[in-house]
Amino acid sequence: MPAQTPAALLLLLLAVREGGAPGAEEPLRPPARIGVIGAGIGGTAAAYFLRQKFGRDVLIDVFERGEVGGRLATLNVDGQDYEAGGDVIHPQNLHMKHFAKDLGLSTLQRQFSPLGIYNGDEFVFEESSYYLWNLIKLFWNYGLNPLRMYIWVQEILDKFMRIYHYQSHDYAFSTNEGLLHALGGASFMQLLNQTIEEAMQEAGFSQKFINETVTAIMRFNYGQGASVSGFVGVISLLGVDPGLWSVEGGNKLVCSGLLSASKAQLISGSVLSLEEKTRQKGRSGDPVKQYDVTYHSKSGLTTELYDIVLIATPLQPEIAHIAFHNFSPPIQEFSRHYHQTVTTLVHGHINATFFGYRDPSQFEPSSIFTMENPKLFINGIIIVFPVKKSARKPPLGPPVWRVFSHNSLTKEQLNLLFSSYDFIEEKNWLAYPKYNSQESVPPIILHDQMYYLNGIEWLASAMEMSAIAAKNAVLLAHHHWYKNLDRVDQEGLHDRLQAEL
Ligand SMILES: Cc1cc2nc3c(=O)[nH]c(=O)nc-3n(C[C@H](O)[C@H](O)[C@H](O)COP(=O)(O)OP(=O)(O)OC[C@H]3O[C@@H](n4cnc5c(N)ncnc54)[C@H](O)[C@@H]3O)c2cc1C
Ligand SMILES: *[C@@H]1O[C@H](CO)[C@@H](O)[C@H](O)[C@H]1NC(C)=O
Ligand SMILES: *[C@@H]1O[C@H](CO)[C@@H](O)[C@H](O)[C@H]1NC(C)=O
Ligand SMILES: *[C@@H]1O[C@H](CO)[C@@H](O)[C@H](O)[C@H]1NC(C)=O
């Protein structure tokens, strides 16, 4: 008999079951225990969606070796907390918006801050506090490029928004490429294959605009220039849209809120290894896969068994240190690297002379983006405000600046950037992937019931992307568990759902 037969037979049985053959089979038992590794926005959103999807009886454990929030974290400078990692959220990031609303969290609007684009010697573009004057300058410098970019990006965003429609109808995708394709077809796949520079050249944007504005936005948001792939490039361009917001008290409150709403158990410990276990089970004697999670905590080494495991941390060895034992086929290596970005918060006066100003009192920019220039040691710098609304009074003394750089700033560099400063705090991140075009995206399904959320970061890394990945993985796990595959990897979903309206 050909080897495919069992699978074909299974499909046939499923088809019969879907057809509603009455009482043909007993209902499948729900999973007893689900493990989630990582309590960043991805892991905590997963716990939240797992509870919604699998009901109140399943036991959910979330492992975290550091702080709940992961790359959403604050730093304290002179008595106030400031965002140190993931900062702004787009007004159309619907999962993040719903989380904040469901958890009763208030939001803060990003304030207007005059932008300067610095090429290493001088500003090539500079805004002031006069809105109209800024528009004239923008037009004078770049013609219709900024307006065209806004329209170009919104068109892509419109397609991207289809994900919420699909997910609200429980559709899931078993690969990140499949998800991307379902949103924007070949044109989205192409964005993965090109750099943002190539994509925008093809769309007719001027090289000057790309060299200055686009590169500067990429460097500010992802620490890398216009050679990042087109899709993350577009996500990055959305990061200068109007209406950006963050969570009052700190974005990490979304994570702790989701975790407690999910009634999952938080296990403070470091997961060391995952191991496949097979046991004979069920009437039919079908082998059932389960997973041993071995972790290290205050009480030593412990191993727990789970029916389903969701991995919500990048699996790069330098990040997660998780070993996979006894898997067949073996789990692939996650060898592509993450980009280092250092956040430095400085309470002090900026050195206007460093940015080419003779008269410091004329210096207006409060966000400075930078162009590609090897002698530059920063990617960007911006005035930031406390995460507490009550602390957002106009500062009496100097402001707090947030500096992004690839490496830790030296004393000499700080003394160049600032004419004076007192408080300083630093956080070193393996922040997001090192993006380039033409590379494959990691899988979502690592094994039968073991799912990986963070491969989506290779499309683009953002809070909302992790939330989308969480919802997708939970839907996928649910469909696989209950052998209900008619909502997985469906083609032509957009047209089909339109027709249903
Ligand atoms: C400087 C910076 C600025 C950013 N700005 C923005 C922004 O403005 N807007 C935006 O949307 N996004 C931004 N991002 C990206 C955003 O922060 C991330 O995409 C998002 O927070 C990732 O969440 P996650 O849950 O997928 O991963 P993480 O937050 O990294 O969570 C993974 C968790 O797993 C834990 N963990 C890892 N290994 C183990 C183990 N072996 N055992 C137990 N626990 C483990 C980690 O401690 C961590 O808490 C920024 C990121 C950085 C670093
Ligand atoms: C992307 O690039 C790969 C390899 O260069 C190629 O095989 C594939 O067809 C390309 N896809 C698209 C949509 O351009
Ligand atoms: C854009 O930058 C590239 C390299 O960084 C340079 O060769 C080119 O002359 C620049 N073009 C414009 C119009 O600024
Ligand atoms: C400011 O920048 C200028 C130019 O780079 C530099 O010469 C000076 O030492 C810096 N520091 C202060 C305190 O002005």
Side-chain angles (χ1 to χ4, degrees), residues 39-51:
I41 186 63
T44 55
Y48 186 75
F49 292 133
L50 281 168
R51 181 63 71 204

Side-chain angles (χ1 to χ4, degrees), residues 49 53-54 95 162-183 310 444-445 449 451-453 456 467-494 496-497:
F49 292 133
K53 235 24 235 170
F54 284 89
H95 285 311
R162 292 174 181 174
I163 190 65
Y164 302 113
H165 200 185
Y166 301 164
Q167 292 193 330
S168 69
H169 286 79
D170 280 0
Y171 287 98
F173 302 91
S174 61
T175 64
N176 289 303
E177 289 93 337
L179 186 153
L180 196 65
H181 190 270
L183 300 179
L310 270 57
I444 296 173
I445 303 177
Q449 295 290 356
Y451 303 90
Y452 180 42
L453 274 58
I456 205 164
I468 287 172
K471 175 100 190 203
N472 183 64
V474 167
L475 290 172
L476 204 53
H478 191 267
H479 295 331
H480 278 196
W481 186 270
Y482 290 105
K483 305 205 178 351
N484 178 15
L485 299 181
D486 64 339
R487 301 218 163 195
V488 177
D489 294 335
Q490 292 300 308
E491 304 274 343
L493 260 191
H494 178 63
R496 246 206 280 166
L497 288 173

Side-chain angles (χ1 to χ4, degrees), residues 122-371:
E122 56 178 2
F123 284 102
V124 296
F125 177 73
E126 217 182 321
E127 286 181 331
S128 68
S129 34
Y130 297 103
Y131 180 69
L132 202 61
W133 183 228
N134 291 338
L135 275 186
I136 295 168
K137 264 197 189 166
L138 197 62
F139 187 74
W140 180 260
N141 267 268
Y142 304 117
L144 287 176
N145 280 278
L147 180 66
R148 286 199 44 227
M149 178 175 91
Y150 182 78
I151 295 168
W152 187 70
V153 168
Q154 295 306 309
E155 272 171 13
I156 296 172
L157 177 63
D158 279 349
K159 289 185 181 163
F160 179 77
M161 300 290 286
R162 292 174 181 174
I163 190 65
Y164 302 113
H165 200 185
Y166 301 164
Q167 292 193 330
S168 69
H169 286 79
D170 280 0
Y171 287 98
F173 302 91
S174 61
T175 64
N176 289 303
E177 289 93 337
L179 186 153
L180 196 65
H181 190 270
L183 300 179
S187 69
F188 269 34
M189 297 310 283
Q190 175 125 16
L191 280 175
L192 208 55
N193 254 9
Q194 293 179 307
T195 64
I196 186 69
E197 177 163 28
E198 288 161 353
M200 291 185 81
Q201 282 167 343
E202 212 165 82
F205 291 94
S206 84
Q207 191 63 45
K208 175 180 154 74
F209 183 65
I210 294 171
N211 278 13
E212 297 181 3
T213 310
V214 175
T215 302
I217 294 171
M218 299 305 132
R219 285 169 56 82
F220 191 86
N221 287 326
Y222 288 102
Q224 303 156 75
S227 63
V228 301
S229 57
F231 190 75
V232 67
V234 171
I235 299 288
S236 180
L237 294 174
L238 284 165
V240 295
D241 266 4
L244 300 178
W245 58 282
S246 58
V247 174
E248 138 100 306
N251 293 327
K252 65 182 178 186
L253 293 184
V254 175
C255 303
S256 48
L258 290 172
L259 194 61
S260 64
S262 75
K263 301 209 163 55
Q265 176 184 213
L266 175 67
I267 299 182
S268 296
S270 192
V271 172
L272 305 180
S273 65
L274 294 170
E275 181 168 358
E276 177 188 336
K277 294 272 156 173
T278 306
R279 48 182 192 129
Q280 299 302 115
K281 229 201 161 176
R283 256 161 221 232
S284 52
D286 284 344
V288 175
K289 305 280 192 219
Q290 288 180 309
Y291 305 97
D292 259 347
V293 174
T294 300
Y295 64 97
H296 187 265
S297 69
K298 267 191 265 171
S299 27
L301 267 192
T302 316
T303 299
E304 301 278 357
L305 191 64
Y306 296 93
D307 296 307
I308 299 174
V309 171
L310 270 57
I311 302 173
T313 167
L315 275 174
Q316 272 58 24
E318 69 270 29
I319 298 178
H321 316 284
I322 296 174
F324 294 94
H325 297 311
N326 202 24
F327 283 89
S328 140
I331 307 297
Q332 66 161 83
E333 298 270 318
F334 294 82
S335 49
R336 292 171 57 194
H337 295 296
Y338 267 55
H339 183 88
Q340 171 176 290
T341 288
V342 178
T343 296
T344 312
L345 295 172
V346 183
H347 182 250
H349 291 288
I350 202 161
N351 178 7
T353 320
F354 177 80
F355 291 98
Y357 269 72
R358 292 237 169 100
D359 179 1
S361 69
Q362 297 285 306
F363 190 84
E364 277 201 272
S366 57
S367 50
I368 300 168
F369 290 18
T370 62
M371 287 167 59

Side-chain angles (χ1 to χ4, degrees), residues 118 349-356 412 414-420:
Y118 181 61
H349 291 288
I350 202 161
N351 178 7
T353 320
F354 177 80
F355 291 98
E412 292 73 36
L414 282 164
N415 287 333
L416 276 176
L417 271 181
F418 295 94
S419 55
S420 68

Side-chain angles (χ1 to χ4, degrees), residues 404-419:
F404 288 125
S405 55
H406 183 49
N407 293 306
S408 258
L409 298 173
T410 63
K411 261 236 138 53
E412 292 73 36
Q413 291 171 337
L414 282 164
N415 287 333
L416 276 176
L417 271 181
F418 295 94
S419 55

